[in-house]
Amino acid sequence: MFIVSTKNCLNTAIEICDKSDFHLIMTEVKRFPDGELYVRVVESVEGQEVMAIGNTREDGEALEFMLLLNALKENGASKIIAFLPYFGYARQHMIYKPGEAISSKVFTHMLSEYSDEIITINIHDNSTKKYSKKKFVVISMVKHIAKYFSHMDIGLIVAPDDGAMEIAREAGEILNVDSRHLDKKRIDSITVSYSEARFDVRGKNILLIDDIISTGGTIKKSIKLLREMGANRIYVGAIHGIFINNSGDDIAGMCDELVVTDTIYSRYSKVKISDSIEEIISEVA
Ligand code: R5P
C-alpha cells in the first residue's frame, strides 16, 4: 500500500514504512505568489490504495491535508484512508454557548467527503465519530503510555477531570492500579480551578494522565494540588503534547517525568505511533 504525508508527519510516515511494506510517495507543496496553497502528488496513484497521514492542528496544516486527500481522489486512488495522528478541531464537538459552530462536525464532514475511511489516535471526544459518513476508527495509545510507567511503582492513576477518566481506567487496567479523577472547573480557555479531592494520595506514586496538554494549565494545577495532598512521585502522561508557550518544559520541571506520544513531536515524545503499526495495518487491511 502507498503512504503519503503532509510535511508535519513525514518522520512518522518514514518510520511506518521502515516497520511495514508501505511505500512512501512524495508530494510537491508550495504557495502561489498570492499565498494560496498548492499540493500535488508526484507519483501516479491510479488504482492504488493510499493512506494519507497528516495532523490538522493549525489552519494551514488542515488545509494542506484536505488538498492532499483531494489530490489522491482526483488522480484515481482506489481507496483513500485519512490517518490523523492528532485530529485538530475536535475539541469543539458540541455547542457550549448559543451561536457557536461545531468545528469537529464541519471537519469530519470534509474528511469523509474526500476519504473512504478515517483513522485517528485518541480523539478528544468519541462523539465526533457520529458526524462521519464513512468508517471512523479511533486507536488508543494509552496502553503504550501506561506500559512506559510499568516500572515506576504507580500507586494510583489520576485523571485531571472526569472527561479523562476513560483513559485513566484504561491505564489502570494495564497497570492493575485504581483510578480516580479530580474535580476541574474551566473558567476560560487558559484558566481552570479545582475543588478539594476526596481521595487519598499520601505517600503514593501517581500517574496523572490526560488526552491533551495544550496550555498546560490543567496539568500544572493538578500537579500542584496532588503535591499539596501529599503525593510522593508524580508522573505525567498524555497522548497529545501541543505544549503552547513551552508548557512542556514548565510541566517537566514540576513533575518526576513527562511522557507523551509523537502524534505531535517534542522532546517528551517517548512513545511512538509506529509502536501501534500492527493495529494501524489491521484497520486499513
Ligand atoms: C480537556 O477536556 C482536556 O482533556 C484537557 O484537559 C485540556 O484540553 C488541556 O488543556 P490545557 O492544557 O490548555 O489546560
Side-chain angles (χ1 to χ4, degrees):
M1 187 183 258
F2 284 2
I3 187 167
V4 63
S5 176
T6 55
K7 204 170 152 196
N8 56 23
C9 284
L10 202 50
N11 285 343
T12 302
I14 291 168
E15 282 177 19
I16 289 176
C17 290
D18 284 348
K19 290 190 175 179
S20 67
D21 54 7
F22 275 99
H23 165 69
L24 181 65
I25 53 173
M26 302 313 288
T27 60
E28 181 186 358
V29 179
K30 61 183 183 186
R31 286 199 183 264
F32 289 108
D34 61 3
E36 289 185 6
L37 203 56
Y38 167 97
V39 174
R40 174 177 163 249
V41 179
V42 171
E43 288 176 49
S44 168
V45 291
E46 180 80 44
Q48 298 290 338
E49 295 190 0
V50 188
M51 181 163 85
I53 174 168
N55 279 347
T56 56
R57 188 164 79 86
E58 290 162 2
D59 304 354
E61 294 181 342
L63 184 60
E64 184 188 345
F65 193 56
M66 292 300 172
L67 293 180
L68 182 58
L69 293 177
N70 179 254
L72 296 173
K73 189 165 181 151
E74 301 292 343
N75 290 279
S78 61
K79 184 177 179 188
I80 302 165
I81 294 131
F83 176 32
L84 299 86
Y86 177 68
F87 192 121
Y89 284 97
R91 291 168 92 192
Q92 179 92 36
H93 61 93
M94 56 184 277
I95 291 180
Y96 297 94
K97 282 187 205 153
E100 289 177 341
I102 305 177
S103 56
S104 81
K105 183 177 186 177
V106 173
F107 209 69
T108 305
H109 280 175
M110 290 199 290
L111 285 169
S112 53
E113 184 62 34
Y114 290 111
S115 66
D116 301 294
E117 181 177 344
I118 300 166
I119 303 179
T120 190
I121 295 174
N122 293 94
I123 193 162
H124 179 63
D125 193 290
N126 277 312
S127 65
T128 291
K129 286 163 82 170
K130 70 174 181 275
Y131 300 130
S132 178
K133 293 174 243 166
K134 306 280 173 58
K135 184 177 171 191
F136 193 137
V137 177
V138 178
I139 290 174
S140 176
M141 290 195 65
V142 172
K143 54 187 167 299
H144 299 296
I145 297 276
K147 280 180 195 157
Y148 184 94
F149 291 106
S150 59
H151 301 296
M152 305 336 194
D153 192 22
I154 302 295
L156 186 69
I157 315 268
V158 176
D161 51 44
D162 60 348
M165 250 332 258
E166 199 179 316
I167 62 174
R169 272 193 214 100
E170 197 182 331
E173 275 166 29
I174 301 284
L175 298 179
N176 202 16
V177 169
D178 270 353
S179 46
R180 297 278 186 278
H181 71 85
L182 297 171
D183 290 315
K184 175 170 103 174
K185 193 169 166 217
R186 185 162 280 289
I187 316 286
D188 58 40
S189 56
I190 53 168
T191 323
V192 296
S193 73
Y194 279 100
S195 38
E196 206 174 310
R198 280 161 294 188
F199 52 86
D200 191 10
V201 299
R202 277 173 299 174
K204 288 182 185 164
N205 293 340
I206 304 295
L207 172 56
L208 177 62
I209 192 161
D210 205 353
D211 60 339
I212 302 169
I213 301 176
S214 178
T215 64
T218 297
I219 290 294
K220 284 193 245 177
K221 277 262 168 71
S222 302
I223 295 173
K224 199 164 170 279
L225 181 60
L226 291 166
R227 288 251 180 260
E228 285 164 8
M229 289 166 67
N232 183 27
R233 290 176 184 268
I234 301 176
Y235 300 102
V236 175
I239 307 297
H240 311 290
I242 301 177
F243 298 142
I244 307 286
N245 296 332
N246 296 321
S247 54
D249 295 345
D250 297 343
I251 293 167
M254 294 171 70
C255 70
D256 289 272
E257 188 166 1
L258 168 63
V259 174
V260 294
T261 75
D262 61 351
T263 57
I264 300 165
Y265 185 78
S266 72
R267 70 164 83 167
Y268 306 106
S269 299
K270 298 170 190 169
V271 169
K272 287 175 165 291
I273 295 171
S274 54
D275 294 340
S276 293
I277 185 67
E278 282 167 21
E279 211 174 328
I280 295 165
I281 289 172
S282 75
E283 292 298 346
V284 301

